[in-house]
């Protein structure tokens, strides 16, 4: 691709799920945004396949969740190591399940929205250099230069942006030679995701809902390089050893072997450049957190960048991106790492202890709630901004429908109208006992309290009088 020099407000490197959600949010807010993507074509690689409840809530707040729900299967629970069951069906959300749908479906929905909102998506644009000064960022793409006020590296695990910033990516490899396959099964497992590990092997099966299933299989006895071909027999063997059956595995449309690292950049921001998604953190696929965490990074960053570019952000707002998202990345590394380490317990006694302790613990309601909350993202609050639950409104709509405007929302009676300011939408609740609540554009609570505290909360949010 031959590209001319470009001037834009925000340049995003990478049109994966993270970059596409961010581009859509910025464009929708009226920000001039350019996405630079190395690939010439859209990806048809499945990679991630689970969309968790908190991500679905974020998609709902953009009017995209219902479209995606039509494309996948809903799974109400996760069955770990024979005796441990994580029940997602009781979570306090409109989406008490894990949606199984291929990553490319999520990307398509996000790309359609970003393009419709006016984001410029340039394919065949390989970013090779990033320089910044006090006024802006300059990215090198072939012989052309893209000049932006801000840039975001959403360019995946081998991020060129992260390298150009000189940021390390400390961590380690946790699993090598993981086999992935999308297969047809003659006798598929029941509705839950099935995972088991028997010392030398573990396997995991999840339904896409269209007759295809995703299998993960790992065999400690046969570590091979990522480039070694995968055979159906190898997958059958590991699945049988782990789960007691190969579910009548018939054919595969795609098979791959990869390794998995646990790494996190120490900072998500250097000056005018940010990192999000896999560029900022990677971990094992256990728990299906990768794409979800990236999408949630983007949901946190988009409205903050838009407010800054448009000159309406309170001072320090952009710093809260790293402050809020870095600890979440750390938590996700810890929780997905814990599942992997549990799966890799080798001795029989260790496995019995894991199954017994895990099984009993998850029958305790607080432990079960915490496990489902962490896995689904529903339980992830920021220290000064807990997740906003959906609320039924007086006019028959829900809070998450009003959030589609991309503005702050004030949940308060109609009489609060006199206190409205620019960038704030009033949403009277169906239940008059609902406390006054100021909800950020990313569906986190900025403030909740007595009406007398509202003006100060609006000032803190940078909402002009
Ligand atoms: C084999 C495999 C299996 C996986 N399975 C799961 C799973 O089961 N569950 C799960 O949650 N996650 C899984 N993941 C992880 C998940 O796919 C990622 O977390 C997710 O794709 C991250 O999205 P992203 O947008 O941050 O980065 P990516 O999806 O990696 O997108 C980055 C984009 O940046 C582009 N790019 C890179 N460098 C440049 C450059 N210099 N210039 C321009 N463009 C550039 C790339 O072409 C790419 O399109 C898997 C990953 C792999 C590799």
């Amino acid at each position: 691709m031959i590209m001319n020099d470009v001037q834009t407000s925000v340049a995003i490197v990478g049109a994966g799920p993270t970059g596409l959600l961010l581009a859509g949010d910025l464009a929708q807010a009226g920000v001039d945004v350019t996405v630079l993507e190395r690939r010439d074509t859209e990806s048809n690689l499945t990679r991630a396949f689970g969309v968790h409840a908190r991500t679905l809530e974020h998609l709902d707040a953009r009017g995209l969740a219902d479209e995606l729900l039509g494309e996948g299967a809903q799974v109400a629970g996760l069955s770990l190591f024979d005796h441990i069951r994580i029940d997602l069906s009781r979570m306090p959300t409109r989406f008490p399940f894990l949606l199984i749908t291929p990553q490319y479906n999520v990307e398509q929905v996000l790309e359609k929205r970003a393009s419709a909102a006016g984001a410029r998506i340039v394919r065949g644009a390989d970013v090779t250099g990033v320089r910044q000064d006090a006024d802006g960022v300059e990215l090198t793409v072939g012989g052309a230069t893209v000049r932006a006020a801000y840039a975001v590296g959403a360019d995946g695990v081998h991020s060129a942006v992260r390298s150009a910033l000189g940021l390390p990516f400390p961590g380690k490899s946790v699993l090598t030679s993981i086999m992935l396959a999308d297969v047809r099964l003659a006798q598929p497992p029941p509705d839950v995701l099935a995972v088991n590990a028997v010392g030398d092997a573990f396997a995991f099966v999840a339904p896409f809902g269209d007759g295809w299933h995703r299998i993960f299989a790992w065999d400690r006895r046969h570590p091979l390089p990522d480039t070694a071909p995968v055979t159906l027999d190898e997958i059958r063997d590991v699945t049988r050893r782990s789960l007691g059956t190969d579910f009548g595995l018939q054919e595969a449309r795609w098979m791959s072997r990869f390794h998995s690292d646990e790494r996190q950049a120490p900072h998500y921001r250097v000056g005018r450049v940010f990192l999000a998604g896999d560029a900022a953190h990677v971990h094992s696929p256990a728990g299906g957190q990768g794409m979800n965490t990236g999408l949630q990074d983007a949901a946190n960053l988009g409205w903050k960048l838009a407010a800054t570019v448009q000159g309406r952000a309170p001072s320090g707002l952009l710093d809260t991106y790293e402050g809020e998202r870095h600890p979440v990345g750390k938590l996700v590394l810890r929780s997905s790492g814990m599942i992997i380490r549990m799966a890799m317990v080798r001795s029989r006694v260790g496995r019995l202890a894991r199954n017994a302790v895990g099984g009993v613990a998850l029958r305790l309601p607080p432990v079960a709630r915490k496990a489902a909350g962490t896995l689904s993202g529903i339980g992830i609050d920021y220290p000064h901004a807990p997740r906003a639950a959906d609320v039924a409104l007086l006019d028959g709509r829900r809070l998450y429908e009003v959030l589609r405007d991309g503005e702050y929302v004030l949940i308060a009676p109609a009489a609060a109208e006199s206190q409205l300011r620019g960038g704030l939408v009033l949403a009277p609740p169906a239940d008059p006992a609902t406390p006054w609540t100021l909800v950020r554009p990313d569906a986190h609570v900025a403030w909740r309290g007595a009406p007398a505290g509202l003006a100060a909360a609006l000032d803190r949010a940078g909402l002009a009088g």
Side-chain angles (χ1 to χ4, degrees):
M1 184 225 47
I2 302 192
M3 191 174 155
N4 296 321
D5 290 356
V6 171
Q7 181 86 34
T8 187
S9 294
V10 178
I12 297 172
V13 186
T18 306
L20 289 171
L21 187 130
L22 184 61
D25 282 7
L26 288 164
Q28 191 123 331
V31 174
D32 179 87
V33 55
T34 304
V35 183
L36 302 163
E37 167 57 52
R38 168 196 284 164
R39 280 184 285 115
D40 277 317
T41 52
E42 286 176 18
S43 169
N44 64 353
L45 260 189
T46 310
R47 303 206 293 169
F49 61 91
V51 186
H52 279 295
R54 184 56 176 149
T55 305
L56 286 167
E57 290 186 340
H58 282 301
L59 295 174
D60 190 21
R62 289 159 180 79
L64 303 174
D66 291 321
E67 182 179 346
L68 204 62
L69 290 185
E71 309 263 355
Q74 299 174 13
V75 171
L78 180 66
S79 161
L80 289 173
F81 318 126
D82 261 357
H83 290 78
I84 306 175
R85 194 185 147 98
I86 298 180
D87 181 7
L88 303 172
S89 69
R90 290 163 204 245
M91 292 187 304
T93 170
R94 194 174 162 232
F95 308 102
F97 48 79
L98 170 68
L99 179 74
I100 306 289
T101 192
Q103 178 165 330
Y104 54 75
N105 278 348
V106 179
E107 291 180 9
Q108 267 167 22
V109 166
L110 292 173
E111 175 152 2
K112 201 165 70 183
R113 165 184 181 247
S115 298
R120 195 180 302 114
I121 301 175
V122 187
R123 295 194 173 276
D126 189 0
V127 174
T128 51
V130 182
R131 277 202 315 269
Q132 58 175 319
D133 55 32
D135 304 320
V137 188
E138 209 170 87
L139 300 108
T140 312
V141 185
T145 298
V146 176
R147 179 102 196 146
Y150 292 92
V152 181
D155 50 345
V157 60
H158 303 295
S159 171
V161 175
R162 191 183 62 233
S163 306
L165 292 174
L167 284 174
F169 204 34
K172 57 181 186 307
S173 233
V174 279
L175 271 187
T176 57
S177 202
I178 308 172
M179 291 173 286
L180 275 187
D182 288 356
V183 298
R184 283 206 185 274
L185 304 174
Q187 299 101 34
D191 80 322
V192 290
L193 300 184
V195 184
N196 201 12
V198 288
D200 278 332
F202 87 77
F204 170 93
V205 182
F208 280 116
D210 61 356
W212 290 95
H213 285 71
R214 163 62 61 87
I215 294 196
F216 271 77
W218 176 75
D219 184 357
R220 192 196 302 266
R221 295 191 308 213
H222 294 292
L224 292 171
D226 289 358
T227 47
V230 182
T231 64
L232 265 188
D233 280 344
E234 206 179 346
I235 300 220
R236 268 196 198 102
D237 172 54
V238 179
T239 309
R240 261 189 226 126
R241 275 164 44 214
S242 311
L243 294 167
T245 165
D246 64 13
F247 303 106
L249 198 160
Q250 292 170 325
E251 57 168 318
R253 62 178 172 187
W254 175 76
M255 292 193 284
S256 167
R257 195 187 298 273
F258 74 110
H259 71 277
S260 159
D261 286 2
E262 258 174 23
R263 300 181 185 277
Q264 188 178 25
H267 294 291
Y268 285 10
R269 176 185 187 184
V270 176
R272 292 175 166 272
V273 185
F274 297 81
L275 293 179
D278 276 18
H281 45 73
V282 285
H283 41 78
S284 88
Q289 304 285 308
M291 178 179 72
N292 290 274
T293 310
L295 290 171
Q296 290 167 34
D297 289 344
N300 184 289
L301 180 58
W303 66 279
K304 295 175 181 175
L305 258 181
T308 306
V309 168
Q310 294 169 341
R312 50 188 173 80
S315 100
L317 183 67
L318 273 183
D319 287 326
T320 65
Y321 167 64
E322 178 176 316
E324 292 181 339
R325 293 306 300 171
H326 195 277
V328 173
K330 208 166 168 178
L331 173 74
V332 170
L333 255 73
R334 228 182 16 241
S335 59
S336 74
M338 194 176 82
I339 300 178
I340 282 294
R341 281 179 266 287
M342 278 164 65
M344 290 169 74
V345 171
R346 204 166 189 173
S347 75
R348 198 168 159 272
V349 175
R351 290 202 308 274
L352 286 173
R354 170 194 71 196
N355 295 352
V357 173
V360 170
L362 280 160
R363 277 196 286 279
L364 301 171
V367 179
R369 258 198 312 274
K370 185 145 178 59
T374 304
L375 197 68
S376 64
I378 290 296
I380 293 180
D381 296 322
Y382 303 137
H384 302 291
R387 159 188 167 266
D390 208 356
V391 172
L393 302 175
L394 200 56
D395 65 5
R397 292 187 299 165
R398 300 175 289 109
L399 168 65
Y400 277 66
E401 289 174 290
V402 178
L403 282 166
R404 293 173 191 170
D405 292 341
E407 313 267 35
Y408 272 87
V409 177
L410 176 63
I411 303 173
E417 178 125 29
S418 59
Q419 305 206 40
L420 280 191
R421 301 179 181 184
L424 178 63
V425 178
L426 181 63
D431 176 359
T434 308
W436 285 38
T437 307
L438 180 64
V439 181
R440 302 190 328 193
D442 64 347
H444 280 261
V445 174
W447 167 87
R448 179 178 282 139
L454 177 65
L458 296 179
D459 289 344
R460 278 196 303 279
L463 295 162

